[in-house]
Amino acid sequence: SNRCFDWYKIVNDNRGETIQIKDRYGNMFHCREGAEPLTQKYQQPIVKSSETDKYGDVVATKYGMEIESECRGIDYIEFNCRIRTAQKIATFYESVFDATTTVIEDQDQTVALIGLGDISPDGKASQYMIFRETPGGLPTYDGHHIALYVGDTKEDFEVAFRNADMAGIVWVNPRFADRVTTLEAAKSLNQFRFRNILDIKTGEQIFQLEHEIRSVQHPSWPG
């Protein structure tokens, strides 16, 4: 099969209609209609209404588009982390990237919320990374990664690199050609990578997730 997902189902609850999609790698997506209209429309290139053979009649016909749509992207991405690490993860992002973070209790679990993008006057971020403490063993890290754009200027990006370098976390993924280990290389390519999230107090690795940290001058910057 050439499908990009394993299965999907449509759920209606008190939040409205949600499409739950599990991809072939085990990731779960919860797709919902945004609460507020957007002033700018974005091209959604994944599902076209004519691709019923690829996505099935329901998804392609009801949700597929041949024109621009209000495709909002990802509101949040959630990771399971070990017990007693959520606060340390929040402290890491605060210390290295000056991120806005909150640690809460949700369903008897400690959860770190890492705010990304714009922060509204009431403290809500436009996107979040969520780390939820989960008892039991976690799957071995398989190399998945995310890309984040930092700050509003190239100077903000340079500060982020210096902080990451001071923390000793700047890392080169041998799979890719961007082998950044210095500020000059980071400025040249407008990006750098790191993988280890640390306990700032002890230097212990507490989580692994490859981050591709990009400047707003990166050619893929969507702003």
Side-chain angles (χ1 to χ4, degrees), residues 39-219:
T39 57
Q40 179 180 0
K41 291 185 180 293
Y42 299 85
Q43 181 64 37
Q44 174 275 106
I46 303 300
V47 180
K48 294 185 177 180
S49 56
S50 58
E51 296 180 306
T52 55
D53 57 331
K54 186 174 182 180
Y55 297 104
D57 290 337
V58 174
V59 170
T61 303
K62 188 170 184 179
Y63 300 101
M65 301 287 290
E66 302 294 338
I67 59 175
E68 290 184 342
S69 65
E70 289 190 357
C71 181
R72 292 168 173 262
I74 296 176
D75 282 339
Y76 68 89
I77 182 168
E78 183 169 318
F79 303 96
N80 294 332
C81 62
R82 299 198 315 267
I83 299 296
R84 293 185 292 278
T85 60
Q87 180 62 66
K88 296 175 182 178
I89 290 171
T91 300
F92 170 85
Y93 282 100
E94 288 177 7
S95 302
V96 179
F97 296 103
D98 195 28
T100 299
T101 70
T102 306
V103 178
I104 63 172
E105 296 296 321
D106 178 51
Q107 301 176 9
D108 297 324
Q109 294 173 308
T110 305
V111 180
L113 306 176
I114 316 301
L116 306 172
D118 295 328
I119 308 295
S120 67
D122 62 0
K124 180 176 172 56
S126 54
Q127 289 182 308
Y128 285 95
M129 293 174 62
I130 299 175
F131 294 86
R132 182 179 296 273
E133 291 188 1
T134 306
L138 298 177
T140 302
Y141 175 58
D142 62 3
H144 54 276
H145 82 284
I146 61 173
L148 300 178
Y149 296 88
V150 296
D152 297 313
T153 66
K154 65 178 183 179
E155 288 76 20
D156 292 335
F157 171 75
E158 291 172 14
V159 170
F161 177 87
R162 290 191 181 98
N163 289 347
D165 191 38
M166 186 180 304
I169 58 172
V170 174
W171 175 72
V172 171
N173 188 332
R175 294 173 52 213
F176 299 103
D178 57 306
R179 299 176 180 271
V180 174
T181 59
T182 66
L183 177 58
E184 289 307 310
K187 290 164 62 176
S188 174
L189 294 174
N190 291 304
Q191 68 176 50
F192 66 92
R193 298 175 190 265
F194 77 91
R195 182 175 59 178
N196 293 336
I197 296 176
L198 307 180
D199 179 336
I200 290 297
K201 292 183 178 179
T202 67
E204 174 193 4
Q205 173 198 301
I206 54 177
F207 197 84
Q208 281 196 312
L209 173 65
E210 180 181 347
H211 295 59
E212 190 174 348
I213 303 297
R214 294 176 173 176
S215 163
V216 292
Q217 292 188 326
H218 191 282

Side-chain angles (χ1 to χ4, degrees), residues 5-17:
F5 56 87
D6 186 17
W7 57 261
Y8 75 90
K9 63 180 178 180
I10 299 173
V11 178
N12 284 281
D13 56 24
N14 57 2
R15 293 176 296 180
E17 188 172 74

